[in-house]
């Protein structure tokens, strides 16, 4: 091949060439090389019907091309990104810009673009394998405080990601692993960066990874359309969000990721929430908590007030009266029934006594024995009655004792709760030396110094007594330390 | 201290739990007071976590075997005006 090239011209060693001369020289060297070349069309820009710029490429290289006027109009096909083209042309250099290119004279389509075919083949293979399925997607953290970013430190994408994270959620830390995002070594560096950030994540508590790159041709995005990168994304323990290219660009990496944002900015927006939203959520929680607590105290206050009106607190004796009456009645009726039973027994004993005395006239030895048994019987009955009587007394003590105990407990908890209510009373703060300031004639306490002006009258309420004062000066100093937080973000309960 | 050793998410979840318990009718005063105090502490803690911390922006260089170098990145701060 080399011998067919035009012979190398001898350059004058002593001479200093101008830029245009050098370019022209190089152009002369290339001129006359007419070739057929096959490649995929990319980076296409058409200028009406007069000219077209594009590149032809294969897996390893890109060849800039230009096509003019008649050649463009007589093409048997519509020039499109991604189509495979077989072109004939002459090599040359655009002297003005020093750009090497092929001036295409004629061309025909040579089948589907190889890269696109490769993309589709890989997509089908990996999706059949289940690598893109929703079930294996990892959930993203809702509020990450540590984020790993894989991108080129020189690119615009990394800047978009970092500034957007900063803007939305300043507390998050960002750890960048800079990689080449196209060309030789890009695939290896991206795969290595995913592994690297996973391995150091215990140290940095990285919760989510962003892989970002700006837009580009299919060739530029090639690294993100490789099996290696797709598998590395899936084998990451940390969830991965991609923000590669522009809206319509889909890469194999996008399908493998746990979430695909259409741009680097979109990835940042997906990964971190707006800090203002979180703060708003906290404020909502705070006011819900406070109003629930206030309601609880109000309810308790009402309950206590209602209770304090109860008869048992106003006339505790009355509360005890009814049960003790019942008790006394029960006691006496039990006692009476025992006495009745006893007297019946006595009567029956007397009756038998008479009968026995009758027998006794006929037999003299019997009365002694009967008298003895009679006395024993009476004794047994007395003893029985005494026992019951003691039990009754004991029972009465127990019941009244229980009642007293309950009243005491009730009183105790009432005092405790009441004491708490008192301590939560804002006026109590006055006793610790605080004061409340009202604008003159107003019932609403003053919270903001800017609401009064020099010379205004204000009323000051102290723990004991109050004062009428005149404002000598207004100091507009804010006590807030974080001016970016909403005013109502936090107050002491 | 309330919130110690908890992630931010866990703190938010606990706050929601506390609030829902406080909103219940049948809660005892003593339990309520404890929860309310815990809630206020958690609110303070979570606010502190949001407001006090300004995250780092670092580029991690080197390798795990030979040592990782952390280099602070300025953009997002200094260069923000340029964008």
């Amino acid at each position: 091949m080399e011998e067919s090239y035009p012979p190398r011209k001898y350059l004058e060693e002593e001479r200093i060439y101008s830029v245009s001369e050098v370019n022209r020289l190089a152009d002369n060297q290339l001129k006359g090389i007419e070739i057929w070349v096959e490649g995929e069309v990319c980076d296409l820009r058409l200028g009406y019907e007069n000219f077209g710029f594009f590149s032809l490429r294969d897996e390893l290289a890109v060849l800039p091309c230009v096509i003019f006027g008649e050649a463009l109009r007589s093409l048997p096909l519509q020039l499109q990104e991604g189509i495979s083209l077989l072109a004939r042309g002459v090599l040359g250099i655009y002297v003005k810009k020093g750009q090497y290119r092929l001036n295409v004279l004629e061309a025909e389509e040579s089948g589907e673009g190889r890269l696109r075919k490769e993309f589709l083949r890989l997509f089908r293979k990996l999706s059949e394998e289940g690598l893109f399925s929703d079930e294996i997607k990892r959930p993203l953290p809702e509020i990450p405080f540590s984020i790993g970013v894989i991108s080129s430190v020189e690119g615009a994408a990394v800047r978009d990601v970092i500034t957007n994270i900063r803007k939305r959620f300043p507390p998050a830390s960002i750890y960048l692993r800079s990689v080449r995002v196209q060309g030789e070594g890009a695939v290896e560096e991206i795969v290595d960066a995913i592994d690297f950030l996973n391995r150091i994540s215990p140290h940095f508590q990285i919760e989510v990874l962003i892989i970002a790159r700006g837009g580009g041709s299919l060739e530029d995005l090639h690294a993100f359309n490789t099996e290696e990168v797709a598998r590395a994304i899936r084998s990451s323990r940390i969830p991965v969000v991609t923000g590669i290219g522009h809206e319509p660009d889909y890469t194999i990496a996008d399908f493998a990721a746990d979430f695909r944002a259409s741009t680097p900015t979109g990835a940042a927006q997906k990964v971190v929430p707006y800090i203002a939203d979180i703060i708003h959520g906290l404020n909502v929680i705070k006011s819900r908590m406070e109003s629930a607590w206030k309601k609880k105290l109000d309810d308790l206050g009402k309950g206590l007030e209602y209770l304090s009106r109860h008869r048992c607190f106003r006339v505790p004796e009355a509360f005890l009266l009814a049960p003790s009456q019942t008790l006394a009645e029960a006691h006496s009726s039990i006692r009476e029934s025992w006495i009745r039973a006893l007297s019946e027994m006595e009567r029956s004993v007397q009756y038998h006594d008479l009968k026995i005395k009758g027998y006794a006239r006929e037999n003299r030895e019997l009365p002694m024995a009967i008298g003895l048994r009679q006395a024993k019987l009476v004794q047994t009955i007395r003893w029985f009655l005494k026992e019951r009587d003691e039990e009754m007394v004991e029972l009465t003590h127990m019941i009244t004792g229980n009642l007293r105990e309950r009243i005491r407990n009730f009183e105790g908890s009432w005092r405790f709760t009441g004491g708490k209510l008192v301590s939560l009373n804002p006026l109590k703060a006055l006793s610790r030396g605080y004061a409340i300031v009202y604008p003159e004639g107003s019932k609403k306490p003053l919270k903001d110094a800017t609401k009064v002006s020099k010379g205004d009258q204000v009323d000051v309420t102290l723990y004991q007594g109050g004062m009428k004062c005149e404002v000598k000066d207004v100091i507009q100093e804010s006590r807030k330390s974080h001016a970016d937080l909403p005013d109502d973000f936090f107050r002491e309960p | 201290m309330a919130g110690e050793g908890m992630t931010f998410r866990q703190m938010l979840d606990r706050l929601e739990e506390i609030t829902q318990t406080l909103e219940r009718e049948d809660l005892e005063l003593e339990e309520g007071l404890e929860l309310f105090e815990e809630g206020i502490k958690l609110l303070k803690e979570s606010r502190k976590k949001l407001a006090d911390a300004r995250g780092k922006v670092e580029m991690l260089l080197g390798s795990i075997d030979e040592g990782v170098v952390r280099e602070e990145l300025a953009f997002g701060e200094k260069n923000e005006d340029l964008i």
Side-chain angles (χ1 to χ4, degrees):
Chain A
M1 286 289 282
E2 235 168 62
E3 46 271 52
S4 70
Y5 279 17
R8 184 183 294 268
K9 215 171 163 183
Y10 277 102
L11 304 178
E12 296 164 51
E13 283 179 7
E14 297 300 313
R15 203 182 136 189
I16 294 171
Y17 290 85
S18 73
V19 171
S20 48
E21 275 176 323
V22 174
N23 283 357
R24 229 175 285 124
L25 229 124
D27 186 42
N28 281 335
Q29 291 289 313
L30 287 170
K31 241 180 211 159
I33 303 179
E34 185 178 319
I35 45 156
W36 282 91
V37 57
E38 187 181 1
E40 188 198 326
V41 173
C42 57
D43 302 330
L44 175 66
R45 280 166 293 143
L46 285 173
Y48 304 105
E49 294 201 329
N50 296 323
F51 59 90
F53 294 107
F54 59 96
S55 296
L56 287 176
R57 64 119 170 261
D58 59 16
E59 283 86 353
L60 297 172
V62 174
L63 171 66
C65 300
V66 62
I67 185 165
F68 290 111
E70 192 49 38
L72 178 62
R73 279 190 291 278
S74 56
L75 275 183
L77 58 103
Q78 184 83 32
L79 273 181
Q80 271 175 7
E81 289 268 348
I83 59 168
S84 266
L85 201 70
L86 181 61
R88 182 180 66 85
V90 286
L91 291 176
I93 282 177
Y94 179 37
V95 172
K96 209 170 161 189
K97 292 206 164 176
Q99 273 167 352
Y100 157 77
R101 66 195 189 181
L102 179 75
N103 189 348
V104 176
L105 304 171
E106 60 175 308
E108 60 192 63
E109 194 171 10
S110 70
E112 204 185 13
R114 217 170 292 146
L115 272 172
R116 201 158 294 273
K117 260 194 293 196
E118 172 58 17
F119 179 97
L120 287 173
R121 185 195 66 78
L122 189 56
F123 176 80
R124 274 191 217 106
K125 178 187 165 191
L126 296 181
S127 65
E128 267 163 32
E129 205 183 287
L131 206 75
F132 304 150
S133 73
D134 287 343
E135 292 86 73
I136 59 168
K137 302 275 186 224
R138 290 161 292 238
L140 303 184
E142 285 172 80
I143 311 166
F145 280 80
S146 179
I147 299 158
V149 177
I150 297 171
S151 194
S152 164
V153 71
E154 285 148 21
V158 74
R159 188 162 295 211
D160 286 350
V161 169
I162 291 175
T163 49
N164 276 287
I165 290 176
R166 279 310 228 194
K167 223 184 298 170
R168 292 170 64 89
F169 198 66
S173 287
I174 303 164
Y175 299 104
L176 170 70
R177 182 69 165 171
S178 183
V179 294
R180 273 177 276 181
V181 291
Q182 71 185 82
E184 209 177 319
V187 172
E188 291 73 18
E189 289 190 10
I190 295 165
V191 169
D192 179 68
I194 294 171
D195 176 60
F196 173 86
L197 289 173
N198 267 280
R199 282 169 66 190
I200 61 154
S201 79
H203 192 69
F204 293 92
Q205 281 92 43
I206 294 173
E207 293 168 78
V208 59
L209 296 184
I210 295 177
I211 301 179
R213 192 213 184 283
S217 64
L218 199 55
E219 171 66 24
D220 293 340
L221 297 177
H222 178 67
F224 299 94
N225 284 324
T226 57
E227 187 167 346
E228 293 92 320
V229 169
R231 292 203 187 281
I233 288 174
R234 283 314 330 158
S235 61
S236 167
R237 281 191 316 279
I238 310 167
V240 175
V241 172
T242 50
I244 299 165
H246 294 309
E247 183 57 56
D249 301 334
Y250 261 94
T251 63
I252 296 288
D254 286 326
F255 289 107
D258 298 293
F259 183 86
R260 179 255 176 187
S262 56
T263 59
T265 298
Q269 286 166 347
K270 175 67 188 178
V271 163
V272 289
Y274 250 125
I275 190 165
D277 290 345
I278 305 288
I279 289 172
H280 174 71
L282 283 176
N283 280 334
V284 169
I285 281 273
K286 177 170 177 284
S287 56
R288 263 175 69 198
M289 225 165 69
E290 279 174 350
S291 66
W293 181 237
K294 188 174 173 296
K295 185 174 178 303
K296 175 113 276 160
L297 291 181
D298 283 353
D299 287 354
L300 267 166
K302 272 185 212 134
L304 277 178
E305 203 186 305
Y306 173 77
L307 270 178
S308 65
R309 284 202 300 266
H310 195 280
R311 226 157 66 93
C312 74
F313 288 110
R314 285 190 290 118
V315 203
E317 308 80 17
F319 185 61
L320 277 178
L321 208 59
S324 53
Q325 260 169 5
T326 318
L327 204 62
E329 271 163 29
H331 190 171
S332 70
S333 87
I334 291 168
R335 220 184 137 79
E336 269 164 32
S337 71
W338 281 117
I339 287 167
R340 252 199 320 277
L342 183 64
S343 57
E344 250 165 51
M345 262 188 239
E346 260 177 354
R347 264 202 301 281
S348 131
V349 168
Q350 274 164 10
Y351 167 75
H352 283 98
D353 193 32
L354 286 174
K355 254 194 163 175
I356 289 163
K357 278 184 179 142
Y359 291 131
R361 280 183 219 113
E362 292 150 25
N363 193 336
R364 282 174 181 281
E365 280 146 35
L366 224 49
M368 281 290 278
I370 288 176
L372 214 64
R373 289 192 63 183
Q374 188 187 351
K376 235 181 182 168
L377 188 62
V378 171
Q379 206 181 1
T380 309
I381 289 168
R382 291 235 166 86
W383 174 80
F384 182 75
L385 266 177
K386 190 165 163 273
E387 281 274 284
R388 297 286 82 74
D389 223 26
E390 274 166 13
E391 273 177 25
M392 286 294 290
V393 171
E394 210 174 309
L395 206 64
T396 313
H397 279 309
M398 247 168 70
I399 292 172
T400 49
N402 261 344
L403 275 170
R404 286 210 183 88
E405 177 80 359
R406 278 181 56 191
I407 289 170
R408 256 201 306 279
N409 285 347
F410 201 44
E411 255 179 2
S413 78
W414 188 33
R415 281 215 186 86
F416 176 72
T417 320
K420 260 197 184 141
L421 279 177
V422 169
S423 71
L424 289 160
N425 181 353
L427 295 174
K428 188 98 199 293
L430 295 181
S431 71
R432 298 198 301 266
Y434 291 87
I436 306 174
V437 178
Y438 300 94
E440 192 181 25
S442 170
K443 290 255 184 280
K444 273 182 80 176
L446 192 61
K447 286 188 274 187
D448 182 352
T450 60
K451 296 281 186 287
V452 291
S453 327
K454 192 174 168 183
D456 279 2
Q457 295 289 326
V458 293
D459 297 331
V460 177
T461 302
L462 299 175
Y463 181 53
Q464 290 191 327
M467 298 174 286
K468 286 201 171 290
C469 304
E470 187 184 305
V471 177
K472 280 183 74 180
D473 199 4
V474 175
I475 301 147
Q476 295 203 343
E477 193 184 340
S478 171
R479 290 186 63 225
K480 285 178 299 172
S481 55
H482 297 281
D484 52 341
L485 297 179
D487 287 351
D488 59 346
F489 175 62
F490 199 79
R491 283 179 281 121
E492 286 291 338
Chain B
M1 196 196 285
E4 209 162 349
M6 282 169 109
T7 67
F8 195 78
R9 182 72 252 177
Q10 283 167 333
M11 278 159 68
L12 289 191
D13 288 346
R14 177 68 185 143
L15 274 170
E16 180 60 37
E17 194 181 23
I18 288 172
T19 309
Q20 277 180 15
T21 315
L22 282 174
E23 282 167 346
R24 249 173 39 208
E25 296 278 316
D26 58 341
L27 187 72
E28 293 292 330
L29 182 73
E30 288 76 15
E31 200 191 338
L33 186 66
E34 251 171 53
L35 281 176
F36 186 68
E37 277 168 359
E38 187 192 340
I40 293 295
K41 270 189 203 137
L42 272 176
L43 272 171
K44 266 190 195 166
E45 277 299 296
S46 48
R47 173 194 177 259
K48 206 162 140 6
K49 221 172 162 182
L50 286 185
D52 289 2
R54 183 146 178 85
K56 300 186 185 78
V57 180
E58 290 177 346
M59 177 149 66
L60 303 179
L61 303 163
S63 68
I64 290 172
D65 300 331
E66 287 156 25
V68 176
V69 180
R70 305 164 65 161
E71 186 186 301
E72 207 166 312
L73 276 182
F75 59 75
E77 255 86 280
K78 258 194 244 160
N79 298 355
E80 205 160 26
D81 305 344
L82 302 175
I83 295 158

